[in-house]
Amino acid sequence: MRVHVVSDVHGNSRDLATAGDGADALVCLGDLVLFLDYADHSRGIFPDLFGAANAAALVELRTDRRFDEARALGRRLWGELDRTGAGRESVIEAAVRRQYAELFAAFPTPTYATYGNVDIPRLWPEYAGDGTTVLDGQRVEIGGRVFGFVGGGLTTPMHTPYEISDEEYAAKIEAVGEVDVLCTHIPPDVPELCYDTVARRFERGSAALLHAIRTTRPRYSLFGHVHQPLARRVRLGATECVNVGHFNATGTPYVLEW
C-alpha cells in the first residue's frame, strides 16, 4: 500500500494535480489557500489586492513579531478598500473560491483531506467532489490501517480563519481515539517541531496531540503547518512524528508505504 501525504499546498494546484501519481490514495493536511507568500511577496490574495510592497511590509512586521503594527497596517489597507465600496469579507471569499475551484479539481480519487488554519471549512462542501472525503475529528480505514484526522489550528495573534480553542481541539483529538496514523495540520507541542527557522518564531503546537501520541502510541503522527521546522521528524516512544513538508515550495508529497 502506498499513500502520498501533502500539507500547506497554498495555491500550488500544478503540482497537486500529480501529487497522487503512483499512490493508492492522497492525504491532504490542509492550508489550501494562499493568502500571503512569505518567500514571494507577489503571490497570494493580499498582494493581489494591495501590491507586493505592502505584502513585504506586512511580512517584515509579522516576522519581527510586531503584531500590533501589522494589524494597524492591515486595518489601514482594508479601510481604504472598504471606502471603494468593496466589502472585505466578500472580496476575500471570492478570491478563496477561485483558489478552491482550481485546487479541489486537482485532487485525485481517492483523496482524504482535513482543514488547515487558513482554510474556510464552510466552503469545502461546495468544492469537494465524490472522490474527496473531508474529515475533522474523524477516522477512516485506508489499506487496512486506521487514519485519524484533526484539522485547524489553535488561537494565535495572527487570527487566521480556522483557529479554535485548546479545549475544542482537545475534544477532536479525543474523539479520534486510538489510530495507526494520526493526521493533523499542526504539530504536537514539541519545540523542535514547532520552531520555524525562517520566520524565526514558534508556531503553536498542540499539547493534547502530544498527550495522545504518548498515550495511544500511533505508528505515525503526520502534520505540516511549520514551513521550515528546526526538525522535520522526531521519534516519541513508538511514534514517528513527521512534518510532511511545505508542498507549496517543494511540490513533492511525503510517501507512506506498508
Side-chain angles (χ1 to χ4, degrees), residues 18-40:
T18 58
D21 287 0
D24 296 290
L26 179 71
V27 166
C28 179
L29 304 182
D31 271 10
L32 297 181
V33 173
L34 179 61
F35 187 76
L36 178 60
D37 192 324
Y38 277 54
D40 182 350

Side-chain angles (χ1 to χ4, degrees), residues 23-246:
D24 296 290
L26 179 71
V27 166
C28 179
L29 304 182
D31 271 10
L32 297 181
V33 173
L34 179 61
F35 187 76
L36 178 60
D37 192 324
Y38 277 54
D40 182 350
H41 304 151
S42 68
R43 298 180 64 240
I45 295 171
F46 190 91
D48 285 350
L49 292 172
F50 304 118
N54 282 319
L58 184 65
V59 167
E60 181 179 358
L61 291 172
R62 286 181 173 180
T63 302
D64 290 344
R65 303 188 65 79
R66 294 153 61 190
F67 293 119
D68 289 340
E69 293 175 67
R71 282 191 287 271
L73 173 61
R75 282 194 298 269
R76 178 177 65 79
L77 294 172
W78 285 111
E80 293 172 358
L81 184 69
D82 289 341
R83 284 193 288 274
T84 69
R88 179 184 315 187
E89 297 302 323
S90 62
V91 167
I92 292 177
E93 183 169 315
V96 170
R97 284 181 177 277
R98 288 192 293 272
Q99 291 189 16
Y100 277 166
E102 188 173 344
L103 291 158
F104 276 92
F107 277 145
T109 298
T111 292
Y112 302 90
T114 196
Y115 316 112
N117 60 292
V118 303
D119 287 311
I120 303 177
R122 64 179 174 81
L123 298 181
W124 279 36
E126 299 181 41
Y127 298 94
D130 292 339
T132 299
T133 302
V134 180
L135 304 113
D136 188 17
Q138 297 160 296
R139 303 147 53 104
V140 67
E141 184 177 314
I142 306 174
R145 289 190 175 178
V146 178
F147 284 64
F149 290 79
V150 175
L154 298 174
T155 53
T156 72
M158 308 286 278
H159 300 293
T160 51
Y162 190 42
E163 294 182 352
I164 60 177
S165 69
D166 290 60
E167 293 76 17
E168 185 178 352
Y169 195 89
K172 292 197 294 184
I173 292 287
E174 185 175 2
V176 165
E178 293 188 16
V179 296
D180 297 304
V181 184
L182 188 48
C183 298
T184 58
H185 178 66
I186 63 174
D189 190 16
V190 176
E192 54 265 47
L193 296 175
C194 294
Y195 187 74
D196 192 305
T197 60
V198 175
R200 303 196 306 275
R201 66 168 181 263
F202 285 98
E203 302 288 355
R204 286 209 63 192
S206 169
L209 173 57
L210 178 59
H211 177 72
I213 290 168
R214 286 174 169 162
T215 56
T216 67
R217 298 164 60 87
R219 294 171 185 260
Y220 292 94
S221 166
L222 305 180
F223 49 87
H225 187 56
V226 183
H227 293 177
Q228 299 90 14
L230 187 61
R232 294 202 173 274
R233 54 198 309 148
V234 167
R235 189 156 188 92
L236 297 175
T239 305
E240 191 75 15
C241 302
V242 182
N243 184 317
V244 301
H246 180 203

Side-chain angles (χ1 to χ4, degrees), residues 245-258:
H246 180 203
F247 187 77
N248 170 266
T250 68
T252 303
Y254 174 76
V255 177
L256 189 64
E257 292 183 293
W258 65 94

